[in-house]
Amino acid sequence: MKVYIGADHGGFELKKKIFSWLQTAGYTVTDCGNSVFNAQDDYPTFAFAVSEAVAKDEKSKGVIICRSAAGAVIAANKVTQIRAVAVFDPKAALHARAHNDANVLGLSGDWTDVNYAAEILKIFLATEFSKETRHARRIAQITAYEKSH
């Protein structure tokens, strides 16, 4: 599986560690920035880059990191076909994939250490969408809304 990853200054250090972990775990990883620490950068730049890449590559997943995860997730969800979620524990990661078919994971650079991030990522990347009728119906409603607006 291909994973696109991006972070602003608030998630830069965690991104570097996650990037290495993902490679070691056998994933193909593309770094969407920032490539250098810049205390003045802005999370939408990297959330958009990751989300646009994931939207073009339906089988891929994305990881975005900012201080809280909230801002990056808000930005990511502006990209059509993206269902980004801020996740703070493995159970939420499982739910987001199985029920919501989330394709971009938002992590907090301030509140998530690399070991816990790895636990969350393992579950997020390994869990398939359940395709249960009620969940598929809801995803279809979101997709229809996106296409009509």
Side-chain angles (χ1 to χ4, degrees), residues 133-149:
T133 302
R134 64 191 169 115
H135 301 309
R137 181 180 69 242
R138 293 164 186 160
I139 298 301
Q141 289 170 6
I142 294 167
T143 301
Y145 184 87
E146 281 180 334
K147 287 180 179 177
S148 71
H149 291 78

Side-chain angles (χ1 to χ4, degrees), residues 36-96:
V36 296
F37 180 83
N38 175 356
Q40 301 303 311
D41 63 11
D42 298 311
Y43 60 80
T45 302
F46 310 108
F48 293 147
V50 168
S51 298
E52 288 171 2
V54 171
K56 289 177 187 171
D57 184 358
E58 179 175 305
K59 294 181 181 185
S60 68
K61 298 291 181 283
V63 180
I64 51 178
I65 312 163
C66 68
R67 292 216 173 277
S68 68
V73 165
I74 290 168
N77 279 315
K78 302 303 179 191
V79 177
T80 302
Q81 300 177 34
I82 295 304
R83 291 172 302 282
V85 292
V87 172
F88 292 93
D89 64 47
K91 187 175 181 180
L94 178 76
H95 186 275

